[in-house]
Amino acid sequence: MKQLSGLDAGFLYMETPEMPMHVGAMHVFEMPASYKGSFLADMRHHMAQRLPLAPALRRKLAWMPFNLANPVWIEAEPKLDEHIVGIKLPKGSTTAELQARVGELHARLLDRDKPLWKFHVFEGLTPGPNKEKRFGLYTQLHHAAVDGQAAVALAAAILDVNPAPRDIKRQQQPPKKLQLGMAEMLSGVFANQLQQYANVVKALPSTVGALTQVARQGAGGVTSAAVAKVRGKSKPAEDSVSLGLAPRTRLNASVSTERAFASVSLPLNELKALRRAHDATLNDVVLMICSGALRRYFLKHGPLPRKSLVAAVPVSTRAAGDTSANNQASITVVNLGTHIADPMKRLLYVKAATAAMKATIGSVKTLMPIDFPSLGVPWLLSAVSAVYGRAKVADRIPPIANVAISNVPGPAFPLYMAGAKMLVNYPTSIVVHGVALNITVQSYNESLDFGMMACGKAMPQVAEMSGYVADAFAELKALAPTAALPAPVGTPLAAKKRKATAKKPNPLHQATRAPAKRNRPVARVTAS
């Protein structure tokens, strides 16, 4: 028996018919043209062999008496004919038709009386160029059980690096008690709650220290800006580094029970080359591409806000090497520069915004608990979530973000399942009231796979985003390399580079550098 953390259980309490809280992916698998078997049967046999390696798939929820506190996980053997189901598509179905079915299925809640996962196997896809047999797979995993990195660890248990599945030595385990008595559950709950209160008390000194550091940084930033203004020096584009409210768009609405899904892949080696050419991170490149795609979407469907759109970005708090199947993440925000027409200026803007975000989040990671006392919380949060949706609160309150964007690292080599090669891995994630579009990106083999899940009413044209992502990628490739350009004045990145330059001067470079010309143009971040 293991009680859910406060963060894990929160995904259960927030779940409503309008806000399913499961994640997963849409895959396409390929078998040789000579394959004559049943991929559905092969999948069930494969998973039966891998279940011992995947404890997250062999447990279900047990609710506390009177719903006093967070539920617990108990052992439960899944019935694979219920958890792995087959769907026959019309013969010769395309990827677009598969995406449409995934959007429909993503709107359906998982059964809480069973282990919280389900696999859908699709037959009928168009064969490969050499008549290879292709099959679709849509996976559902409840977010209460896994976060993005835990899902990657789970995939490592059930997938293989070669077409021939690896041998799994099954260990005989004694049957575990599935039904817990009330006394046993209550004693476990109260013991856990006492430990959580003790953890809160222990964390107080470090929390106070972190808050003090953040306050000093904030005061220092305000003072620096004031001094720069008095001296008449250049200031950074303040909206690129501030944590203000987002502009209201059609995405900042209460979501419906409808979902629409789209996907696209980009070559990973070219993205890495762009990262190096522009002295950026891969995450900077992803945000720049998403910014360009969203700008194109709102220019067509309108209105494009005069202020930058804001992305909610998950931040992992997971320690290196931790593969436990739970959630260890929090959320921050970053401005996307969608109001800037010039792609070069927008790129510098995005880099400045991410540098500012990293400087802020580094100081407050210790303030982000993944667990906390939960006595009385379940019924309260469930009621608040239901009222929030019915009253359409998201339509009235000022938005903090417009879109959720997540970048999850994946394997750099091909994977196989039940003997079939996985061609693509498009993540499917969650949309919530007030943020009706989720873009989750995961690297796989030689590609970066974009999965875009939207509320079907707020953004029915999400399929267009696939083309806009490709257009934004081409726009970024057309830019001249900027690795030698300075970061916008006043950003943490610029300050870091100035400090490094001051410490390590290059006399040879100083002696041979050409005199600076007057009125030399300087790249500035401006709205247009």
Side-chain angles (χ1 to χ4, degrees):
M1 181 183 75
K2 179 181 179 182
Q3 189 172 26
L4 276 73
S5 70
L7 182 58
D8 291 346
F11 289 103
L12 295 172
Y13 307 144
M14 291 188 294
E15 187 170 60
T16 65
E18 294 78 24
M19 289 200 312
M21 287 290 158
H22 50 256
V23 295
M26 185 191 89
H27 312 272
V28 175
F29 285 89
E30 186 176 84
M31 280 288 206
S34 59
Y35 176 73
K36 302 295 183 183
S38 166
F39 191 61
L40 174 61
D42 289 348
M43 278 288 298
R44 287 172 176 166
H45 175 76
H46 177 86
M47 289 302 299
Q49 303 299 314
R50 297 304 169 90
L51 281 178
L53 304 180
L57 306 183
R58 294 184 289 106
R59 61 188 186 183
K60 67 177 184 178
L61 295 171
W63 297 91
M64 290 294 100
F66 314 113
N67 211 18
L68 281 175
N70 294 341
V72 298
W73 292 115
I74 60 173
E75 289 286 325
E77 198 68 22
K79 297 179 179 180
L80 294 184
D81 59 339
E82 296 178 356
H83 287 268
I84 304 177
V85 299
I87 299 174
K88 289 188 177 181
L89 298 173
K91 192 173 181 179
S93 292
T94 64
T95 301
E97 292 169 309
L98 178 60
Q99 291 172 352
R101 292 301 300 271
V102 167
E104 295 173 6
L105 292 169
H106 200 70
R108 301 180 186 177
L109 300 176
L110 290 168
D111 187 345
R112 292 192 180 187
D113 292 328
K114 303 175 182 178
L116 291 177
W117 65 277
K118 195 168 186 178
F119 289 1
H120 308 261
V121 178
F122 296 89
E123 298 179 1
L125 290 180
T126 301
N130 296 314
K131 305 299 182 181
E132 297 93 345
K133 305 289 179 62
R134 289 185 172 177
F135 305 91
L137 176 66
Y138 165 57
T139 60
Q140 287 177 285
L141 298 163
H142 204 286
H143 214 328
V146 295
D147 62 9
Q149 293 193 31
V152 171
L154 176 62
I158 64 178
L159 295 169
D160 295 298
V161 296
N162 295 299
R166 64 188 188 274
D167 291 331
I168 302 298
K169 295 181 180 179
R170 303 198 65 171
Q171 298 179 352
Q172 294 294 330
Q173 296 180 350
K176 295 189 177 182
K177 184 178 179 181
L178 297 183
Q179 298 298 326
L180 300 176
M182 182 175 293
E184 183 180 0
M185 295 180 75
L186 287 175
S187 63
V189 167
F190 283 111
N192 181 273
Q193 298 307 298
L194 289 174
Q195 182 62 48
Q196 294 306 322
Y197 284 115
N199 292 342
V200 169
V201 173
K202 290 179 182 178
L204 282 176
S206 60
T207 300
V208 172
L211 284 172
T212 302
Q213 181 181 358
V214 172
R216 287 173 178 171
Q217 288 179 348
V222 172
T223 303
S224 298
V227 171
K229 185 174 182 180
V230 170
R231 294 180 178 176
K233 293 186 177 181
S234 301
K235 297 197 307 177
E238 293 182 359
D239 61 336
S240 71
V241 298
S242 64
L243 300 180
L245 296 174
R248 179 165 292 280
T249 70
R250 65 175 63 200
L251 301 178
N252 301 112
S254 298
V255 296
S256 69
T257 56
E258 299 178 16
R259 293 293 179 269
F261 180 69
S263 61
V264 65
S265 295
L266 298 179
L268 187 57
N269 61 334
E270 293 187 39
L271 290 165
K272 289 181 177 179
L274 287 171
R275 175 190 69 78
R276 293 188 294 269
H278 296 289
D279 194 21
T281 66
L282 185 60
N283 199 52
D284 293 339
V285 173
V286 168
L287 291 175
M288 175 63 178
I289 291 172
C290 291
S291 172
L294 288 166
R295 177 178 171 83
R296 285 166 170 79
Y297 176 84
F298 280 101
L299 281 173
K300 178 177 179 180
H301 298 284
L304 175 67
R306 294 175 62 85
K307 182 181 177 183
S308 171
L309 295 184
V310 178
V313 180
V315 177
S316 176
T317 59
R318 186 179 296 273
D322 185 349
T323 59
S324 55
N326 64 351
N327 288 276
Q328 298 183 41
S330 189
I331 295 287
T332 187
V333 294
V334 61
N335 290 4
L336 295 174
T338 48
H339 60 309
I340 302 173
D342 186 294
M344 179 65 77
K345 295 176 181 178
R346 196 183 326 126
L347 173 60
L348 294 175
Y349 181 102
V350 169
K351 289 174 61 178
T354 57
M357 180 267 290
K358 291 173 187 175
T360 303
I361 203 67
S363 302
V364 299
K365 265 193 175 183
T366 56
L367 306 179
M368 301 173 181
I370 63 171
D371 203 3
F372 39 82
S374 63
L375 285 177
V377 169
W379 58 267
L380 176 62
L381 286 183
S382 297
V384 169
S385 181
V387 171
Y388 187 90
R390 285 198 299 267
K392 297 188 179 300
V393 176
D395 298 342
R396 298 177 175 85
I397 63 173
I400 297 176
N402 308 104
V403 58
I405 301 177
S406 180
N407 183 8
V408 181
F413 44 83
L415 295 172
Y416 300 82
M417 192 171 191
K421 181 179 181 180
M422 186 166 73
L423 301 181
V424 294
N425 177 35
Y426 297 123
T428 58
S429 198
I430 297 169
V431 297
V432 298
H433 293 309
V435 183
L437 173 64
N438 184 301
I439 303 175
T440 301
V441 181
Q442 185 166 356
S443 55
Y444 170 64
N445 197 10
E446 298 177 350
S447 299
L448 198 64
D449 293 338
F450 287 67
M452 293 164 283
M453 187 67 69
C455 169
K457 285 190 175 180
M459 196 179 192
Q461 315 90 347
V462 69
E464 297 178 12
M465 285 290 291
S466 298
Y468 295 150
V469 166
D471 292 342
F473 174 56
E475 178 182 65
L476 184 56
K477 288 199 297 182
L479 294 181
T482 60
L485 289 181
V489 178
T491 65
L493 182 62
K496 182 178 180 182
K497 289 188 175 182
R498 287 197 303 272
K499 185 177 180 181
T501 303
K503 286 183 177 180
K504 298 180 180 181
N506 188 334
L508 179 61
H509 177 69
Q510 292 174 349
T512 58
R513 183 169 50 192
K517 295 181 180 179
R518 292 186 178 181
N519 302 323
R520 183 180 180 182
V522 178
R524 299 182 184 276
V525 179
T526 56
S528 58

